[in-house]
Structures are given as structure tokens and as C-alpha cells.
């Protein structure tokens, strides 16, 4: 072995040993989870619930930092440009996947600049109507829409949101002409349903569970592949007549690209332990979240599939890019 090769080998060996030693001491200072939503919402409460248990398990504070606005771009940029040392994480969501296509340009690459560690939980989405509505099943809604092109009004929150794109996906899968009507927030959607301005709405279950349980709204179908644990009596859209329709909302934790593999594995192990904890599991279910973790590889594949899914919807629905 010549002198140059020996020097290269020594440098590589030293770097490997240094990296291994550093990983063995991780973590030795507080961690932070950057959340692209305001305090008090379901995503924020999910992050705080998991962070509390992570802090106990890791022996270091895990601070939640709220950075709402701009479709999560600011929060994502903060994490993408943070040191890849395992101390800064991003709470990813549907918005992360949607933003990859919705925005003309981003200061980061959603796939290349992050390492997804694990999903935390999934939020059910439902097709709902007012209790006084003539529609008792999703099949009745579809039959009306097919017999009366352009007359069915489907409500959602603002254009480009998960709910709005899920409504567009509903329209595409139904294969009929219907009007997607956006509103500025869930309360406005509920008021429009109860006032008869719209026929049905596509909404995340969590913020309307009270109205469903209280009898003001009727859930016609949930949009995931399986029935909701929160609404076990409500059929899926597949059961209701749309076999190829599936949509769900989710949260995950991700690290900046370049984070050492040992740290990714350690954090994944701790996240799984936290989400699996009976008390954490109970709190998440009380928020109408289905706790569900994945491996880093599964989470990365899920993110890419979601980017494609919602990207196709955005293009087909001609949603204006921002």
C-alpha cells in the first residue's frame, strides 16, 4: 500500500470512529420539533404529545416550535437548512406533499433535503352532510350527481388544502360534473351545510366530530381504505360506490438530509416507543388520530407517493400554482 492510500485509509478510519463516538453520546442537548401550524391545533397537539414522551425517553428536553403560515414553507426551510445533527426535526404533513407541486418554486427539495423518520398518526377524512339532508348514503349522493350534472355542491376549506384536494379527487373518481365550493375555514363549511348552501362537504373528522356525535352532521363515508376506529358504523367510500378513491391526512417527523444513519435509527426507535406507549396512544386517539408508525424507508416511500397523488390532483383540477 503506497503512502497516499495509507493516508486516505487513516482519514476514513478516523472519520468513522469520530462519527461512531459522536452518535454514542447523542443526544447531549435539547431537541426541537418545528411545527408548520399554530399552537392548539391537532398537528401541534400531536407533536407535543409525542415530544413529551420523547423527552422522557431521551433524557433531554424536546421543545415544540410553532412556525405557521405559507403552506409550511418557512418551517420546512428552517429545518432543511439546520445542521444535520439530529437536534432539529420537522413535523411533516399532507401540506408537505401538496406544497411540492402547489408552489412554483421552493427554497428546498421536499424529497432530497429531508430524511423522513416515521409517521406518527393518520387523520380520517369524511364525506358529510347536514342531518336534515335528503342524502342518507354516499350512493344516493353519487346517483344524484350523475342524474344532475353540475348541480351537486361539494364544500371544503380553502383551495389547495388537503380537504379541497380530497374534494377534487372525489370529483375525479366519481367521474361526474359537480361544483367544488371553497370556504375560509371549517366553521364556515359547517354553517353552509346546515344552511343548505352546499349539499355535502369533505372534511377532516377531528374538527367536526362534535357535530357528528351531537347529531348536527351525518357522516356518509370515510375516505380511507378501512373504516375509522372513531366512526366504526360509517362505511368507506369504497363500500359506498367509489372503489378507487382513498384520501387521508397524516403527520410524520423528518430530519435534515445528511443526518448520520445511527441517529436516524435511534430517533426512529424512540419515536416508535413513544407512539406505542399506552398513555400517548390514548391521548392521540382522544384527538381522533389513528397512531401509526413506519420505518424511515416506508415513510420516505409514503411521502413520495403522496407528492405524486396530490400533484396529479392539482394538475388535473387546474389549481393555481402559488
Amino acid at each position: 500500500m503506497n503512502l497516499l492510500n495509507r493516508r486516505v485509509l487513516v482519514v476514513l478510519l478516523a472519520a468513522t470512529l469520530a462519527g461512531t463516538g459522536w452518535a454514542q453520546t447523542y443526544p447531549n442537548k435539547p431537541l426541537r420539533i418545528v411545527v408548520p401550524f399554530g399552537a392548539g391545533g391537532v398537528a401541534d397537539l400531536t407533536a407535543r404529545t409525542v415530544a413529551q414522551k420523547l423527552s422522557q425517553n431521551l433524557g433531554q428536553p424536546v421543545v415544540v416550535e410553532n412556525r405557521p403560515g405559507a403552506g409550511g414553507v418557512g418551517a420546512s426551510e428552517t429545518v432543511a437548512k439546520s445542521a444535520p445533527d439530529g437536534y432539529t426535526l420537522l413535523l411533516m404533513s399532507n401540506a408537505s406533499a401538496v406544497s411540492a407541486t402547489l408552489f412554483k418554486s421552493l427554497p428546498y427539495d421536499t424529497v432530497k433535503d429531508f430524511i423522513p423518520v416515521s409517521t406518527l398518526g393518520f387523520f380520517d377524512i369524511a364525506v358529510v352532510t347536514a342531518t336534515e339532508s335528503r342524502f342518507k348514503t354516499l350512493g344516493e349522493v353519487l346517483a344524484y350527481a350523475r342524474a344532475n350534472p353540475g348541480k351537486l355542491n361539494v364544500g371544503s376549506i380553502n383551495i389547495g388544502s388537503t380537504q379541497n384536494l380530497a374534494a377534487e379527487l372525489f370529483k375525479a373518481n366519481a367521474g361526474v360534473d359537480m361544483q367544488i365550493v371553497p370556504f375560509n375555514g371549517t366553521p364556515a363549511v359547517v354553517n353552509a351545510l346546515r344552511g343548505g348552501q352546499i349539499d355535502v362537504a369533505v372534511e377532516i373528522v377531528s374538527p367536526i366530530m362534535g357535530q357528528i356525535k351531537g347529531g348536527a352532521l351525518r357522516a356518509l363515508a370515510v375516505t380511507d381504505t378501512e373504516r375509522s376506529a372513531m366512526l366504526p358504523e360509517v362505511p368507506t367510500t369504497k363500500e359506498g360506490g367509489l372503489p378507487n378513491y382513498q384520501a387521508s391526512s397524516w403527520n410524520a417527523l423528518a430530519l435534515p438530509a445528511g443526518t448520520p444513519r445511527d441517529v436516524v435509527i435511534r430517533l426512529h426507535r424512540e419515536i416508535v416507543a413513544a407512539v406505542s406507549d399506552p398513555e400517548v396512544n390514548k391521548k392521540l386517539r382522544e384527538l381522533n388520530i389513528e397512531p401509526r408508525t413506519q420505518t424511515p424507508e416506508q415513510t420516505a416511500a409514503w411521502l413520495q407517493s403522496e407528492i405524486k397523488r396530490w400533484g396529479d390532483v392539482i394538475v388535473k383540477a387546474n389549481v393555481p400554482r402559488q
Side-chain angles (χ1 to χ4, degrees):
M1 182 181 293
N2 61 38
L3 182 59
L4 178 60
N5 287 338
R6 287 177 182 173
R7 286 177 176 173
V8 170
L9 182 61
V10 169
V11 169
L12 289 175
L13 181 60
T16 300
L17 292 174
T20 303
W22 178 82
Q24 289 174 346
T25 63
Y26 172 86
N28 56 21
K29 64 180 181 179
L31 289 76
R32 65 171 174 160
I33 299 175
V34 181
V35 176
F37 305 97
V42 177
D44 172 70
L45 294 174
T46 300
R48 292 180 186 277
T49 300
V50 174
Q52 184 177 15
K53 192 63 182 177
L54 276 177
S55 178
Q56 295 174 9
N57 293 349
L58 290 170
Q60 291 289 344
V62 180
V63 180
V64 172
E65 180 181 313
N66 298 97
R67 292 203 175 193
V73 174
S76 300
E77 182 181 11
T78 295
V79 177
K81 295 182 178 179
S82 295
D85 55 9
Y87 290 95
T88 302
L89 297 95
L90 173 67
L91 186 81
M92 281 189 159
S93 69
N94 297 63
S96 306
V98 169
S99 295
T101 302
L102 188 61
F103 288 87
K104 294 177 182 177
S105 64
L106 292 171
Y108 54 84
D109 186 301
T110 307
V111 173
K112 295 179 180 178
D113 289 341
F114 299 98
I115 300 175
V117 182
S118 176
T119 52
L120 302 179
F122 287 71
F123 309 75
D124 289 315
I125 298 174
V127 180
V128 298
T129 190
T131 303
E132 301 81 9
S133 169
R134 58 182 162 177
F135 300 119
K136 302 298 187 292
T137 67
L138 183 64
E140 292 179 5
V141 172
L142 295 173
Y144 174 83
R146 287 163 182 155
N148 301 274
K151 291 187 178 180
L152 185 77
N153 294 318
V154 182
S156 75
I157 65 169
N158 53 290
I159 293 174
S161 65
T162 296
Q163 295 93 315
N164 177 255
L165 295 178
E168 292 286 358
L169 188 60
F170 174 76
K171 175 181 177 179
N173 272 261
V176 294
D177 183 21
M178 56 182 74
Q179 302 300 317
I180 308 299
V181 186
F183 291 86
N184 187 23
T186 301
V189 172
V190 173
N191 288 337
L193 274 175
R194 300 189 66 181
Q197 284 82 44
I198 54 177
D199 299 300
V200 296
V202 178
E203 180 56 274
I204 292 173
V205 170
S206 298
I208 57 172
M209 181 62 86
Q211 286 90 342
I212 294 173
K213 293 295 186 183
L217 299 180
R218 178 189 300 119
L220 301 176
V222 292
T223 65
D224 210 342
T225 53
E226 298 181 2
R227 291 197 178 196
S228 168
M230 317 304 169
L231 297 168
E233 72 285 359
V234 178
T236 64
T237 44
K238 180 178 181 179
E239 293 174 289
L242 289 178
N244 298 316
Y245 180 64
Q246 186 274 333
S248 61
S249 185
W250 50 273
N251 283 146
L253 287 175
L255 291 160
T259 301
R261 179 66 179 173
D262 286 353
V263 173
V264 175
I265 292 172
R266 171 74 189 282
L267 273 175
H268 174 261
R269 183 171 68 244
E270 298 297 350
I271 290 167
V272 170
V275 174
S276 301
D277 178 81
E279 189 61 30
V280 172
N281 212 272
K282 178 184 176 184
K283 288 181 179 178
L284 292 178
R285 292 184 185 278
E286 287 172 350
L287 292 169
N288 298 312
I289 299 166
E290 181 67 30
R292 195 187 312 167
T293 56
Q294 296 178 333
T295 66
E297 292 75 20
Q298 289 171 331
T299 310
W302 172 256
L303 174 62
Q304 292 186 52
S305 70
E306 286 287 275
I307 290 173
K308 184 181 187 309
R309 177 206 301 272
W310 298 120
D312 289 346
V313 174
I314 289 168
V315 171
K316 187 169 184 178
N318 292 316
V319 176
R321 299 184 71 191
Q322 301 177 22

